[in-house]
Amino acid sequence: MDHSHYVVDPMISAKSIAARVEVLAHEISEYFADTEKLIVVGLLRGSFVFIADLVRELDLPVEVDFLETSSYGDGVQSTREVRILKDLRGEIQGRDILVVEDIVDTGYTLKHVISLLKSRDPKRLKVCALLDKPSRREVDITADWIGFEIPDEFVVGYGIDYAQRNRNLSHIGKIRFLE
Ligand code: IMP
Ligand code: MG
């Protein structure tokens, strides 16, 4: 199939995302209410829009850091091999950490990131993912907070790309390839 021609069908509106982000931020703020400081770790690049909206709704002292892992390349297939391309700038030992991910798909990325960060001995480590595709899971892992559970579709928008495109859409849509 020729993968260069496709359309993006709407799936989750910008308004629904904003409403959900507000609820997630409220729950996270309650959970970490007693924190000295929460280090919010965004997984690049797909989480950059989500993390920007989420941190502005958190009622907590917050620091932001980023981690970049190798991705799917330009295709839609998971390589299952996760490498760290850019590590955190800050120390996390004894700190409260919230990992922010765009999508949990097979679960390999999250599994790798969680075990890496846990080896640095944080105080508490929790995960918030905007989207979850449980039907695609290959390793036993779940996020502590999930924005939306979605079916097995390839999605874009709100920071999420297909071949680096469509990150700037305000809503989330699904890719439909044209013949
Ligand atoms: P996992 O390691 O298979 O769980 O893959 C997670 C990563 O794959 C996510 O952080 C995304 O970057 C990417 N990914 C998974 N599904 C999609 C999708 O539908 N659209 C775009 N990227 C995706
Ligand atoms: Mg990603």
Side-chain angles (χ1 to χ4, degrees):
M1 202 203 297
D2 176 7
H3 279 189
S4 61
H5 293 96
Y6 61 87
V7 291
V8 178
D9 294 327
M11 190 177 196
I12 307 171
S13 70
K15 216 172 149 184
S16 315
I17 298 170
R20 188 69 188 127
V21 168
E22 210 177 296
V23 172
L24 291 171
H26 185 74
E27 290 179 15
I28 293 164
S29 298
E30 287 206 327
Y31 181 85
F32 284 110
D34 62 345
T35 194
E36 221 174 282
K37 175 174 78 181
L38 180 66
I39 303 179
V40 181
V41 171
L43 302 194
L44 292 172
R45 285 171 258 175
S47 72
F48 81 104
V49 176
F50 181 38
I51 199 174
D53 283 346
L54 189 69
V55 293
R56 283 181 288 178
E57 298 287 343
L58 290 176
D59 188 18
L60 298 170
V62 158
E63 270 186 25
V64 175
D65 205 341
F66 293 98
L67 189 72
E68 185 172 12
T69 58
S70 54
S71 70
Y72 284 27
D74 282 351
V76 293
Q77 282 300 309
S78 175
T79 57
R80 283 163 190 78
E81 201 188 286
V82 182
R83 286 175 303 123
I84 302 298
L85 301 180
K86 183 207 167 293
D87 206 341
L88 298 177
R89 288 294 294 274
E91 302 282 321
I92 62 166
Q93 189 179 14
R95 299 297 184 187
D96 283 327
I97 309 298
L98 179 73
V99 173
V100 177
E101 171 66 308
D102 54 356
I103 308 178
V104 190
D105 189 34
T106 63
Y108 282 101
T109 305
L110 208 50
K111 188 185 175 193
H112 186 85
V113 167
I114 289 171
S115 75
L116 174 76
L117 298 185
K118 279 200 170 154
S119 74
R120 297 177 186 175
D121 208 20
K123 184 177 172 199
R124 290 178 285 197
L125 188 151
K126 294 283 169 183
V127 178
C128 177
L130 178 66
L131 303 175
D132 187 18
K133 293 187 200 171
S135 66
R136 295 258 310 160
R137 200 73 90 256
E138 293 177 20
V139 293
D140 185 23
I141 208 121
T142 44
D144 300 286
W145 291 279
I146 290 160
F148 303 90
E149 210 177 277
I150 60 167
D152 181 10
E153 303 276 2
F154 201 81
V155 296
V156 294
Y158 198 68
I160 301 163
D161 73 303
Y162 171 56
Q164 299 306 326
R165 297 283 307 277
N166 303 294
R167 292 191 196 273
N168 57 323
L169 291 176
S170 304
H171 67 284
I172 290 168
K174 53 185 175 189
I175 294 278
R176 179 161 51 89
F177 293 106
L178 304 172
E179 295 304 318

